[in-house]
Amino acid sequence: MALPKILIKFIRPFIVLLIIVMLYMAYQELKETETQAYRQSQANIRTASSLIHAHLESTVSKFYILEQTWLEKGFGSYQEMVQQILLETPIYSDIILHSESKDNYRSYRGTSLTKSSVKNLSWKRLHSYGDKFYVSSIYEKEPGHWVFAVKHSNPKLLFNMWIEFDLFYTTQHFKDLKTLESGYVFVVDATEKRLVFHPDPQRVGTRSISYSAGIEEQVDNGFRFGTIEYYYK
């Protein structure tokens, strides 16, 4: 009976040591996974930001083309250029002329937007593109059709020009931005607290659960970049 007792005496510390080693390896694997997820998330944000800036730069050039066409060749040529741009650029939903003095809204596609909706829009200056370019909060143009607009004010014209972006087409480039197996990029309008992009297109325009669960408070407190831990409420 002495031999089994000796074996038990040596096996117990071995099992304890084995458990400690396994826990340490699991911890190291967890830390490595967290690091990988953080790096992928950073890369996804950089890619998404680059795509957004590319769209904005292209749109700024479209404004200049449209305005110069109107000023040099007349309104008829401007209308033809609008039609061509909308046909070639599916991310654009519409191109609009808006007179602030007369509160007049003219859509190329013939869609409407109430005066109260126009007044309730929140506009933020795009500082990187001069002092005459602004981007709007998102708004529902038609049931289930969410858009946002970039506008430019040209003192040589009587109208502000808006180029509307269709959120469904604009954000499809983000679908392939994954973090590990199930992580994904989502974009929220901080003014409206609504989803600008989500892998499930049915969620676009709805309130973001994740944002209201803890991210909003951090952003309101001035937090702009980094890791945020939160729990669904």
Side-chain angles (χ1 to χ4, degrees):
M1 297 296 294
L3 183 59
K5 290 182 179 180
I6 293 173
L7 289 174
I8 292 173
K9 181 180 179 181
F10 284 100
I11 287 175
R12 283 178 178 173
F14 175 77
I15 292 174
V16 172
L17 178 62
L18 181 62
I19 291 173
I20 293 174
V21 170
M22 292 178 66
L23 289 173
Y24 176 77
M25 291 177 65
Y27 173 77
Q28 290 297 109
E29 185 177 352
L30 175 63
K31 295 300 292 183
E32 177 62 28
T33 301
E34 289 180 347
T35 301
Q36 185 179 359
Y38 186 68
R39 288 174 179 170
Q40 288 183 7
S41 297
Q42 286 183 312
N44 288 340
I45 291 172
R46 287 194 296 269
T47 301
S49 298
S50 297
L51 288 170
I52 291 169
H53 284 297
H55 284 319
L56 289 175
E57 288 175 3
S58 176
T59 300
V60 168
S61 68
K62 296 291 195 307
F63 276 113
Y64 287 121
I65 291 171
L66 288 167
E67 291 169 1
Q68 288 301 114
T69 299
W70 189 347
L71 291 170
E72 296 176 4
K73 299 181 179 180
F75 187 72
S77 296
Y78 159 82
Q79 288 282 79
E80 292 175 0
M81 184 61 68
V82 167
Q83 182 182 28
Q84 179 181 338
I85 289 175
L86 290 177
L87 285 173
E88 295 176 351
T89 320
I91 64 171
Y92 295 158
S93 174
D94 203 350
I95 295 179
I96 294 154
L97 299 175
H98 178 246
S99 171
E100 293 184 356
S101 59
K102 297 181 180 180
D103 200 16
N104 184 25
Y105 175 94
R106 180 173 180 172
S107 160
Y108 177 81
R109 295 195 187 279
T111 58
S112 61
L113 193 64
T114 64
K115 292 182 179 181
S116 61
S117 296
V118 174
K119 290 180 180 179
N120 289 334
L121 285 178
S122 173
W123 295 92
K124 292 187 178 181
R125 182 176 296 170
L126 293 170
H127 295 280
S128 301
Y129 303 96
D131 60 352
K132 298 296 184 181
F133 289 94
Y134 296 83
V135 61
S136 76
S137 53
I138 68 171
Y139 53 99
E140 194 173 23
K141 192 70 175 288
E142 297 170 341
H145 182 202
W146 289 87
V147 301
F148 71 92
V150 175
K151 76 174 180 179
H152 183 233
S153 175
N154 187 332
K156 295 180 180 180
L157 299 174
L158 298 176
F159 297 88
N160 289 329
M161 193 178 297
W162 299 11
I163 295 182
E164 276 186 347
F165 286 76
D166 187 315
L167 285 179
F168 178 78
Y169 286 102
T170 304
T171 58
Q172 289 308 294
H173 301 287
F174 301 159
K175 286 182 67 175
D176 296 328
L177 299 179
K178 299 289 186 181
T179 300
L180 301 181
E181 294 294 329
S182 57
Y184 55 85
V185 172
F186 66 94
V187 182
V188 179
D189 183 324
T191 302
E192 297 295 325
K193 313 299 188 294
R194 296 181 182 275
L195 284 160
V196 175
F197 168 74
H198 192 277
D200 179 2
Q202 299 300 319
R203 294 289 309 280
V204 172
T206 64
R207 300 284 180 177
S208 171
I209 299 172
S210 298
Y211 189 76
S212 60
I215 299 176
E216 179 181 2
E217 183 179 354
Q218 298 276 1
V219 172
D220 290 344
N221 290 333
F223 191 87
R224 290 293 180 268
F225 181 83
T227 305
I228 297 177
E229 294 186 7
Y230 62 92
Y231 299 92
Y232 289 106
K233 297 179 181 179

